């Protein structure tokens, strides 16, 4: 499904439901993205920081939100966006990405974004400015 | 707002780069696979060309990691006394001015723009602003707010 001329306040993007984030995914994402903080891939580094286990990169969840947006509109229409990381995403978590149009102003739409876990914890919130056709 | 700790406040005003790096096609494929991308536009050059791209497009967040690695921001902060185990990513923003594709040569120039403290000094915030250019043309701007937990693990 793609955004059409019928985008209006309250329009919901088709949610993106992710499978559990495995340790393999964290390792592959660290290498492919360049986000190599050991706290995401090395349990010894996590322990040294006082954590029980590694946790997912915030930018992995933001990349999932990017997939939510680019499966809705061509990427060239994404003008700007920002997120706040509101909670840690534990390894093996199953995030769901959602987006809702909260304003339409001429040829741009404002989309409120969120990533949540099955227990209700919200890990990211954000806003995107998207150009309409 | 309250002042950040001495270690963090001393970083404000410092710059990184400019550093230059090529966007590699194979890296974009690896990134797409790592994030479970199902749209072949991002992992298959033929599909990208069929969609009107000159090569694989860089997905929306790709520039973040490329900058982090190329500028070695984690090493830069560690060398200035920041405990990387205490650093969390607080906020991230992107503004796009032109599409980026595999084969592009990009230059990243960053400034640590401001720092402040919250929660009675338990948390420091450090804002880093990055301009990404291609042959002098501004293609994207990134704003990264790091959160540094003071006083050891919590």
């Amino acid at each position: 499904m793609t955004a059409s001329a019928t985008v209006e306040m309250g329009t919901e993007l088709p949610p993106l439901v992710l499978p559990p984030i495995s340790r393999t995914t964290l390792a592959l994402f660290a290498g492919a993205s360049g986000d190599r903080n050991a706290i995401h891939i090395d349990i010894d580094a996590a322990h040294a920081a006082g954590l029980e286990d590694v946790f997912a990169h915030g930018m992995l969840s933001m990349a999932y939100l990017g997939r939510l947006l680019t499966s809705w509109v061509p990427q060239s229409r994404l003008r700007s966006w920002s997120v706040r990381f509101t909670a840690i995403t534990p390894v093996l978590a199953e995030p769901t990405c959602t987006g809702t149009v909260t304003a339409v102003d001429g040829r741009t739409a404002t989309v409120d974004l969120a990533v949540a876990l099955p227990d209700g914890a919200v890990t990211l919130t954000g806003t995107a400015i998207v150009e309409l056709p | 707002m309250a002042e950040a700790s001495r270690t963090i406040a001393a970083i404000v005003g410092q710059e990184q780069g400019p550093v230059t790096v090529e966007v590699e096609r194979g890296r974009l494929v690896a990134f797409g696979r790592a994030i479970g991308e199902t749209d072949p536009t991002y992992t298959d050059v033929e599909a990208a060309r069929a969609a009107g791209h000159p090569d694989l497009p860089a997905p929306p967040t790709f520039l973040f990691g490329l900058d982090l690695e190329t500028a070695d921001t984690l090493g830069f902060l560690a060398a200035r006394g920041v405990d990387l185990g205490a650093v969390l990513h607080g906020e991230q923003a992107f503004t796009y001015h032109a599409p980026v594709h595999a084969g592009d040569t990009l230059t990243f120039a960053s400034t640590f723009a401001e720092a402040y403290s919250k929660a009675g000094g338990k948390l420091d915030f450090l804002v880093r602003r990055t301009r990404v250019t291609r042959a002098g043309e501004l293609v994207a701007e990134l704003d990264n707010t790091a959160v540094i937990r003071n006083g050891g693990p919590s």
Side-chain angles (χ1 to χ4, degrees):
Chain A
M1 188 163 116
T2 54
S4 68
T6 59
V7 169
E8 57 191 16
M9 214 167 98
T11 297
E12 291 187 5
L13 281 59
L16 177 64
V17 181
L18 282 312
I21 299 175
S22 68
R23 294 170 200 278
T24 299
T25 291
L26 296 183
L28 294 178
F29 182 75
S33 72
D35 192 341
R36 295 166 189 241
N37 192 334
I39 206 162
H40 300 299
I41 46 178
D42 182 338
I43 198 168
D44 298 329
H47 287 166
L51 302 167
E52 285 183 14
D53 204 342
V54 296
F55 62 98
H57 308 74
M59 289 306 290
L60 175 59
S61 290
M62 193 173 185
Y64 290 147
L65 276 178
R67 284 181 54 196
L68 177 85
L69 289 166
T70 60
S71 62
W72 188 59
V73 293
Q75 189 178 330
S76 57
R77 293 214 211 124
L78 176 59
R79 304 313 314 153
S80 63
W81 63 315
S82 62
V83 304
R84 291 188 66 188
F85 302 95
T86 50
I88 278 178
T89 302
V91 64
L92 302 179
E94 299 173 49
T96 294
C97 301
T98 56
T100 306
V101 176
T102 53
V104 176
D105 178 13
R107 290 193 57 201
T108 63
T110 304
V111 184
D112 275 11
L113 303 165
V115 182
L117 303 182
D119 66 2
V122 175
T123 55
L124 268 80
T125 60
T127 307
I129 305 297
V130 174
E131 235 172 69
L132 297 174
Chain B
M1 261 174 293
E3 283 181 23
S5 69
R6 223 179 306 169
T7 302
I8 301 303
I11 297 169
V12 174
Q14 296 196 39
E15 297 179 351
Q16 284 184 281
V19 289
T20 295
V21 65
E22 186 187 333
V23 178
E24 295 169 357
R25 188 191 284 168
R27 181 141 199 189
L28 289 176
V29 173
F31 185 92
R33 288 187 181 145
I35 67 168
E37 181 57 77
T38 55
D39 180 350
T41 305
Y42 291 97
T43 50
D44 176 345
V45 147
E46 295 312 317
R49 288 188 176 137
H53 295 281
D55 206 310
L56 293 183
T61 62
F62 181 77
L63 296 178
F64 171 87
L66 194 60
D67 168 46
L68 184 70
E69 180 183 80
T70 306
D72 189 22
T73 304
L74 298 177
F76 182 94
L77 293 174
R80 283 156 183 78
V82 177
D83 172 11
L84 297 183
V87 177
L88 293 170
H89 202 169
E91 297 177 31
Q92 183 65 42
F94 294 88
T95 302
Y96 306 104
H97 301 285
V100 170
H101 293 95
D104 286 356
T105 298
L106 302 179
T107 299
F108 295 85
S110 301
T111 305
F112 289 92
E114 60 176 317
Y116 48 90
S117 176
K118 288 185 183 175
K122 283 185 188 156
L123 298 175
D124 282 335
F125 293 76
L126 181 60
V127 180
R128 180 176 179 273
R129 300 220 160 99
T130 304
R131 288 167 57 86
V132 188
T133 54
R134 178 180 52 208
E137 173 201 15
L138 182 66
V139 296
E141 294 166 275
L142 284 65
D143 259 33
N144 171 354
T145 304
V147 182
I148 301 99
R149 297 174 296 150
N150 290 316
S154 60

